[in-house]
Amino acid sequence: MSKQIKQFAVIGLGRFGGSVCRELHSLGHEVLAIDMHLVRVEEFVQYSTHAIQGNSTDEMFLKSIGIRNFDHVIVAIGENIQDSVLTTLSLKEFGISAVWVKAQNVYHQKVLEKIGADRVIHPEVEMGIRIAQSMSSDLLLDYINLSDEYSIIEIRATLPIHNRSLLDLNVRVKFGITILAINGKYNMNVSPSPSDIIFEGDILIAMGLNNDLKRFEDKMF
Ligand code: ATP
């Protein structure tokens, strides 16, 4: 099955926008890289499908590059909150359905939410939480916060659940969580069936309420 290629535009090629741009490009997507500074644009020619210099607060500029045709636009302007807000406003007025914006602080975040940003990203805060979560447990390898209550975790299976099936462990009923995948020594089992067995060292990807995930993690000791 071939991976769906999407069209992205990244506005602002600083550390955050730049790494988003590079990664999307290396994943094979079409990426339009935009920055107001020519040096940044030149640097990203090799990491994008097209790289254009321009000011994203200028609606005529956005129209001229056909921004309406993009599935997903990432606004990675940090320091200049006014430019970030104006750009987001224009993109939403153009009817772009997925506008993700980097916020500098909580006030910036609130404004972005009010004007319809589809996702507000706080890279430093989000990364801080993820690192703290994985530091606080030897077993927790990664953590994605879905909402205040729900998360997805990546956790290493230990001896207490070795050689037991999902049915036997009764994870759904006992813990209320869903095992999305078991990454074993030899293969990745996505959407495992109840009879599938977990072995010590397998990496489990589990989704559920934070408290339930914590209870499941405690079962490992
Ligand atoms: P990071 O922490 O990700 O490096 P930052 O939060 O410090 O970035 P800035 O450096 O202020 O954010 O902005 C990121 C990039 O956005 C810069 O390369 C800057 O030139 C570009 N930028 C800022 N305003 C605009 C604008 N109105 N139009 C296009 N590009 C812009």
Side-chain angles (χ1 to χ4, degrees), residues 1 9 32 39 55 63 84 96 99 117 131 134 142 164 169 186 198-199 211:
M1 199 171 62
L32 174 66
V39 275
N55 188 328
K63 263 190 200 156
S84 159
I96 293 163
V99 179
I131 287 177
S134 59
D142 204 355
R164 298 184 67 184
L169 287 168
Y186 301 107
I198 295 172
F199 297 99
N211 284 342

Side-chain angles (χ1 to χ4, degrees), residues 3 8 11 16 32 41 54 77 84 146 150 158 162 173 194 209:
K3 188 176 57 157
F8 293 92
I11 302 176
F16 175 69
L32 174 66
V41 174
I77 301 170
S84 159
L146 298 176
Y150 285 88
T158 54
H162 174 69
V173 175
L209 282 166

Side-chain angles (χ1 to χ4, degrees), residues 11-17 34-37 40 54-57 76-80 83 87 102 104 124:
I11 302 176
L13 303 170
R15 282 167 305 173
F16 175 69
I34 302 162
D35 201 288
M36 69 200 307
H37 290 118
R40 290 275 161 92
N55 188 328
S56 60
T57 60
I77 301 170
E79 300 267 300
N80 192 333
D83 279 17
T87 302
K102 175 187 163 174
Q104 193 71 6
E124 293 86 355

Side-chain angles (χ1 to χ4, degrees), residues 45-63:
V45 166
Q46 57 180 321
Y47 303 118
S48 62
T49 319
H50 297 288
I52 301 181
Q53 182 191 13
N55 188 328
S56 60
T57 60
D58 177 355
E59 286 198 6
M60 292 308 289
F61 165 71
L62 291 178
K63 263 190 200 156

